[in-house]
Amino acid sequence: MNKCGRKKYIKTNLRQMTMETIESQQDGSVTDSVAESESAHMQTQTGQNSVPTLAQVATIAETDESAESEGVIDSHKRREILSRRPSYRKILNELSSDVPGVPKIEEEKSEEEGTPPNIATMAVPTSIYQTSTGQYTATGDMPTYQIRAPTTALPQGVVMAASPGSLHSPQQLAEEATRKRELRLMKNREAAKECRRRKKEYVKCLESRVAVLEVQNKKLIEELETLKDICSPKTD
DNA sequence: AGTATAACGCGTCACCTGGC
DNA sequence: GCCAGGTGACGCGTTATACT
């Protein structure tokens, strides 16, 4: 793995750790059904913990360092530790069912709503949100952000499959294989874009939750202080 | 102005999961 | 069991920002 790749790998996992740390802290302090439901997602279906501990991540990083020096990277080992969690759509939708304020990630449908096709508008707390391409640009002044829904139509030039029975020559078979591969790549390309969009939405959602819970926590602390003052009058 | 670094998005591969 | 879709990881290119 090159320098950049490793950095991104570690960064990704640290970000994940940060999210989970926040969630677990919430779980411990303020009673939060959402946090509980989310932490439930941290378990794989086999009952094992799917999330690497901080030490594990550190170990991964160190292992990665040394592996690089030796020129050996054991991707399977990493995969064992970094098993997947449920989809962002699933998590967020469960989140939204628990907490009324949390927006749902919509299934791919575009034309029913009043909004223009392929654009979903969603209210979110203000935050700095900028990409190099300017695809998602919500500044502090902009209370909403817009998400482009994927275009489901196949690009021009993609020819639908000929029935296998109609293929004769090896050349035709090769062409068919190439066509299938291109179709698969194209679909995966779109899926990856969509996945990233959902991931960003998910992260934003969590960030907004953090903001809300911080305010809530602050209020509760203040309330507690007030009650303390009332219940224990000063003895001069 | 040139360079270094960080941050980000994209395409692809590999793997997992859920639906059939 | 097969297949389509979802997603983590990787490698690469681009852009923004800081530093010299």
Side-chain angles (χ1 to χ4, degrees):
Chain A
M1 190 190 295
N2 69 6
K3 192 176 155 194
C4 180
R6 190 178 70 242
K7 232 180 270 173
K8 194 182 281 190
Y9 167 68
I10 295 167
K11 180 183 71 181
T12 304
N13 288 291
L14 284 177
R15 187 180 291 173
Q16 190 180 358
M17 288 303 303
T18 310
M19 291 294 180
E20 282 142 12
T21 305
I22 289 164
E23 285 161 14
S24 63
Q25 280 172 352
Q26 288 169 356
D27 206 15
S29 56
V30 182
T31 304
D32 186 3
S33 63
V34 179
E36 281 167 17
S37 75
E38 266 192 50
S39 61
H41 283 302
M42 301 304 141
Q43 308 289 326
T44 62
Q45 292 188 334
T46 55
Q48 292 172 323
N49 196 344
S50 68
V51 175
T53 63
L54 205 52
Q56 277 177 321
V57 174
T59 309
I60 293 163
E62 280 170 24
T63 309
D64 217 14
E65 270 315 314
S66 58
E68 191 184 46
S69 65
E70 290 165 17
V72 177
I73 298 171
D74 192 350
S75 62
H76 285 284
K77 238 180 188 175
R78 285 204 307 267
R79 284 186 183 280
E80 278 174 19
I81 297 170
L82 297 169
S83 52
R84 76 189 49 237
R85 50 192 294 180
S87 76
Y88 298 112
R89 181 186 293 166
K90 215 182 228 178
I91 295 171
L92 201 55
N93 285 347
E94 284 192 20
L95 239 170
S96 61
S97 64
D98 286 339
V99 178
V102 178
K104 268 200 170 188
I105 293 181
E106 298 290 336
E107 300 288 334
E108 279 93 62
K109 56 173 182 182
S110 58
E111 294 177 46
E112 287 129 281
E113 272 79 21
T115 50
N118 291 340
I119 295 184
T121 306
M122 177 187 286
V124 292
T126 56
S127 61
I128 297 162
Y129 189 48
Q130 185 257 334
T131 70
S132 55
T133 58
Q135 243 177 326
Y136 302 88
T137 48
T139 65
D141 300 330
M142 202 189 292
T144 62
Y145 69 101
Q146 293 185 325
I147 298 164
R148 288 206 164 272
T151 52
T152 50
L154 295 177
Q156 290 177 351
V158 176
V159 186
M160 296 317 288
S163 64
S166 66
L167 298 173
H168 303 301
S169 66
Q171 192 188 350
Q172 278 178 317
L173 287 170
E175 279 176 10
E176 173 69 4
T178 307
R179 191 198 60 78
K180 276 185 179 172
R181 176 183 153 76
E182 303 225 326
L183 189 63
R184 182 165 51 81
L185 287 179
M186 191 196 68
K187 279 187 177 179
N188 188 241
R189 206 178 300 140
E190 292 300 315
K193 278 183 192 169
E194 187 61 13
C195 181
R196 286 172 183 133
R197 185 189 68 75
R198 277 195 297 269
K199 187 174 185 175
K200 286 177 82 172
E201 202 172 328
Y202 170 68
V203 168
K204 279 192 76 69
C205 178
L206 288 182
E207 284 170 350
S208 65
R209 273 192 58 220
V210 168
V212 167
L213 289 171
E214 274 174 353
V215 170
Q216 203 178 337
N217 200 31
K218 202 178 172 185
K219 275 184 186 170
L220 287 170
I221 289 170
E222 284 172 3
E223 201 179 323
L224 180 65
E225 292 300 321
T226 311
L227 288 170
K228 268 185 187 173
D229 285 348
I230 294 169
C231 293
S232 57
K234 286 170 190 167
T235 55
D236 293 346

